[in-house]
Coordinates of all heavy atoms in Angstrom, one line a residue:
K28 N 3.4 -4.0 61.3 CA 3.4 -3.3 59.9 C 3.8 -4.4 58.9 O 4.6 -5.3 59.1 CB 4.4 -2.2 59.9 CG 4.4 -1.5 58.6 CD 5.4 -0.3 58.7 CE 5.3 0.4 57.2 NZ 6.3 1.6 57.2
C29 N 3.1 -4.3 57.8 CA 3.3 -5.2 56.6 C 4.4 -4.6 55.7 O 4.2 -3.4 55.3 CB 2.0 -5.6 55.8 SG 2.3 -6.7 54.5
H30 N 5.4 -5.4 55.4 CA 6.4 -4.9 54.5 C 6.5 -5.6 53.2 O 7.5 -5.6 52.5 CB 7.8 -5.1 55.3 CG 7.9 -4.3 56.5 ND1 8.3 -3.0 56.5 CD2 7.7 -4.6 57.8 CE1 8.2 -2.5 57.7 NE2 8.0 -3.5 58.5
G31 N 5.3 -6.3 52.8 CA 5.2 -6.8 51.5 C 5.9 -8.2 51.5 O 6.2 -8.9 52.5
L32 N 6.0 -8.8 50.2 CA 6.4 -10.1 50.0 C 7.9 -10.4 50.4 O 8.7 -9.6 49.9 CB 6.2 -10.6 48.6 CG 4.7 -11.1 48.3 CD1 4.7 -11.5 46.8 CD2 4.2 -12.1 49.2
H33 N 8.2 -11.4 51.0 CA 9.5 -11.8 51.2 C 9.7 -13.3 51.2 O 8.6 -14.0 51.3 CB 10.1 -11.2 52.6 CG 10.3 -9.8 52.6 ND1 9.3 -8.9 52.6 CD2 11.4 -9.0 52.5 CE1 9.7 -7.7 52.6 NE2 11.0 -7.7 52.6
A34 N 10.8 -13.8 51.0 CA 11.1 -15.3 50.8 C 11.6 -15.9 52.2 O 12.5 -15.3 52.8 CB 12.0 -15.6 49.7
F35 N 11.0 -17.1 52.4 CA 11.4 -17.9 53.6 C 11.8 -19.2 53.3 O 11.1 -19.8 52.5 CB 10.3 -17.7 54.7 CG 9.9 -16.4 55.1 CD1 9.0 -15.6 54.3 CD2 10.4 -15.8 56.2 CE1 8.7 -14.3 54.7 CE2 10.1 -14.5 56.5 CZ 9.2 -13.8 55.8
I36 N 12.7 -19.8 54.0 CA 13.1 -21.3 53.9 C 12.3 -22.0 54.9 O 12.5 -21.8 56.1 CB 14.6 -21.4 54.1 CG1 15.4 -20.6 53.1 CG2 15.0 -23.0 53.8 CD1 16.9 -20.7 53.4
V37 N 11.4 -22.8 54.4 CA 10.4 -23.6 55.2 C 10.6 -25.0 55.2 O 10.4 -25.6 54.1 CB 9.0 -23.0 55.0 CG1 8.0 -23.8 55.9 CG2 8.9 -21.5 55.0
P38 N 10.9 -25.7 56.3 CA 10.9 -27.2 56.3 C 9.4 -27.7 56.2 O 8.5 -27.1 56.9 CB 11.5 -27.6 57.6 CG 11.3 -26.5 58.6 CD 11.3 -25.2 57.7
L39 N 9.1 -28.8 55.5 CA 7.7 -29.2 55.3 C 7.5 -30.6 55.9 O 6.5 -30.8 56.4 CB 7.4 -29.2 53.8 CG 7.6 -27.9 53.0 CD1 7.4 -28.1 51.5 CD2 6.8 -26.8 53.5
R40 N 8.6 -31.5 55.6 CA 8.4 -32.8 56.0 C 9.6 -33.3 57.0 O 10.7 -32.7 56.7 CB 8.3 -33.8 54.9 CG 7.0 -33.6 54.0 CD 7.1 -34.5 52.8 NE 5.8 -34.6 52.1 CZ 5.4 -33.9 51.0 NH1 6.2 -33.1 50.4 NH2 4.1 -34.0 50.4
Q41 N 9.4 -34.1 57.8 CA 10.3 -34.7 58.7 C 11.4 -35.3 58.0 O 11.1 -36.3 57.1 CB 9.7 -35.7 59.7 CG 10.6 -36.0 60.8 CD 11.2 -35.0 61.7 OE1 10.3 -34.2 62.2 NE2 12.5 -34.9 61.9
L42 N 12.7 -35.0 58.1 CA 13.8 -35.8 57.5 C 13.8 -37.2 58.0 O 13.8 -37.3 59.3 CB 15.1 -35.0 57.7 CG 15.3 -33.7 57.1 CD1 16.6 -33.1 57.3 CD2 14.9 -33.6 55.6
G43 N 14.0 -38.1 57.1 CA 14.0 -39.5 57.6 C 12.7 -40.2 57.4 O 12.6 -41.3 56.7
T44 N 11.7 -39.7 57.9 CA 10.3 -40.3 57.7 C 9.4 -39.7 56.6 O 8.6 -40.3 56.1 CB 9.4 -40.2 59.1 OG1 9.1 -38.8 59.2 CG2 10.2 -40.8 60.3
H45 N 9.8 -38.4 56.3 CA 9.1 -37.8 55.2 C 7.7 -37.4 55.6 O 6.9 -37.1 54.7 CB 9.1 -38.5 53.9 CG 9.1 -37.5 52.7 ND1 10.1 -36.6 52.4 CD2 8.2 -37.4 51.7 CE1 9.8 -36.0 51.3 NE2 8.6 -36.5 50.8
E46 N 7.3 -37.5 56.8 CA 6.0 -37.2 57.3 C 5.8 -35.7 57.3 O 6.7 -34.9 57.8 CB 5.6 -37.8 58.7 CG 5.6 -39.4 58.7 CD 4.4 -39.8 57.9 OE1 3.3 -39.2 58.0 OE2 4.5 -40.8 57.2
P47 N 4.6 -35.1 57.1 CA 4.4 -33.7 57.3 C 4.6 -33.2 58.7 O 4.3 -33.9 59.6 CB 2.9 -33.4 56.8 CG 2.6 -34.7 55.9 CD 3.5 -35.7 56.5
L48 N 5.3 -32.1 58.8 CA 5.5 -31.5 60.2 C 4.2 -31.0 60.7 O 3.3 -30.6 60.0 CB 6.6 -30.5 60.0 CG 8.0 -30.9 59.7 CD1 8.9 -29.7 59.3 CD2 8.7 -31.8 60.8
P49 N 4.1 -31.0 62.1 CA 2.9 -30.4 62.7 C 2.8 -29.0 62.2 O 3.6 -28.1 62.2 CB 3.3 -30.5 64.2 CG 4.3 -31.5 64.4 CD 5.1 -31.5 63.1
G50 N 1.5 -28.7 61.9 CA 1.1 -27.3 61.3 C 1.1 -27.3 59.9 O 0.8 -26.2 59.3
I51 N 1.7 -28.4 59.2 CA 1.8 -28.4 57.8 C 0.7 -29.3 57.1 O 0.7 -30.6 57.6 CB 3.2 -28.9 57.3 CG1 4.3 -27.9 57.7 CG2 3.3 -29.0 55.8 CD1 4.2 -26.5 57.1
T52 N -0.1 -28.9 56.2 CA -1.0 -29.7 55.5 C -0.5 -29.6 54.0 O -0.5 -28.5 53.5 CB -2.5 -29.2 55.6 OG1 -2.8 -29.2 57.0 CG2 -3.4 -30.2 54.8
I53 N -0.3 -30.8 53.5 CA 0.4 -30.8 52.2 C -0.1 -32.0 51.3 O -0.4 -33.0 52.0 CB 2.0 -30.9 52.4 CG1 2.7 -30.6 51.2 CG2 2.4 -32.2 53.1 CD1 4.3 -30.3 51.4

């Protein structure tokens, strides 16, 4: 079931290297 918009804290880049994480296109 869809419960509408909610907010999520999402890591995007590897800490240290700043490379995009697998599954992330940025």
